[in-house]
Amino acid sequence: MLTLASKLKRDEGVKAGRPPGGPSDSSHRVSIRDRLLIKEVAELEANLPSTCKASFPDENKLHHFQLAVSPDEGYYQSGTFHFEIDVPEAYNMVPPKVKCQTRIWHPNIAETGEICLSLLREHSIDGTGWAPTRTLKDVVWGLNSLFTDLLNFDDPLNIDAAEHHLRDKLPKSWSGIRLLLT
């Protein structure tokens, strides 16, 4: 990712009409969000869970990327679930916006793709919501954990999915739950 930082600096100079490597112009600065993302994406790529794959459709827009999660255990084992992550300009004071692109029958993911994950809440009473000290790595690990240890049937976003689970008590090895919505 160091090459991206160099590219941003070089592009900044070209936009201002300066040759690459010339003096900087304070009116054409890289945003705080983009500076943070250069560092955080490098850290994320170095610490990505083995069940996750991040992809950046435009390498010059680190604030928009996709994440594929392929759980290797639990109810959703053998499935692949896609998320779209947008990092707002006010990042790191506000959390990234995350939407599940895969239709899934999950107690913490609505049929429309909204996600119930405490660290994605801008404000929370219990203090588990977003804080400026959190990073993209926390978001990715949290999304990955929605399929294992953070799977929450007691405080669901998709009440029907949670009730279905509690009523039928599906075995953890059953991976067909993800196919209920077509």
Side-chain angles (χ1 to χ4, degrees):
M1 296 287 34
L2 295 176
T3 57
L4 181 59
S6 302
K7 182 182 180 337
L8 283 172
K9 192 178 234 181
R10 191 172 51 248
D11 288 351
E12 188 177 284
V14 170
K15 283 182 188 173
R18 297 185 313 268
S24 74
D25 180 326
S26 62
S27 66
H28 290 83
R29 294 189 186 266
V30 175
S31 72
I32 292 171
R33 173 198 67 186
D34 292 341
R35 289 182 188 272
L36 285 169
L37 290 178
I38 291 168
K39 178 183 169 203
E40 287 186 24
V41 167
E43 180 186 351
L44 174 65
E45 289 178 337
N47 297 295
L48 204 59
S50 62
T51 55
C52 295
K53 183 177 191 293
S55 60
F56 295 83
D58 183 344
E59 64 185 36
N60 295 314
K61 294 182 179 177
L62 296 179
H63 62 276
H64 179 79
F65 66 100
Q66 280 85 38
L67 178 72
V69 179
S70 301
D72 56 5
E73 61 180 280
Y75 296 110
Y76 301 95
Q77 182 177 357
S78 303
T80 299
F81 308 96
H82 300 275
F83 296 88
E84 186 170 87
I85 301 171
D86 285 302
V87 182
E89 190 65 41
Y91 181 78
N92 69 346
M93 298 308 291
V94 298
K97 304 294 180 210
V98 181
K99 186 152 186 153
C100 184
Q101 301 296 309
T102 306
R103 290 193 70 188
I104 182 174
W105 192 244
H106 191 291
N108 309 115
I109 301 174
E111 293 178 52
T112 54
E114 287 81 22
I115 298 163
C116 181
L117 183 61
S118 61
L119 70 88
L120 294 176
R121 291 185 194 135
E122 194 166 342
H123 306 285
S124 74
I125 297 170
D126 63 0
T128 60
W130 184 258
T133 55
R134 295 196 184 270
T135 65
L136 288 180
K137 184 177 80 167
D138 298 321
V139 172
V140 168
W141 280 85
L143 291 170
N144 186 57
S145 294
L146 276 178
F147 298 99
T148 55
D149 56 328
L150 287 183
L151 184 61
N152 185 351
F153 293 101
D154 297 326
D155 184 23
L157 178 61
N158 184 339
I159 295 169
D160 292 336
E163 287 175 352
H164 183 212
H165 166 77
L166 294 172
R167 182 178 60 247
D168 293 344
K169 294 289 185 190
L170 299 170
K172 284 196 172 224
S173 62
W174 191 73
S175 61
I177 196 168
R178 65 188 156 80
L179 302 174
L180 289 176
L181 293 175
T182 56

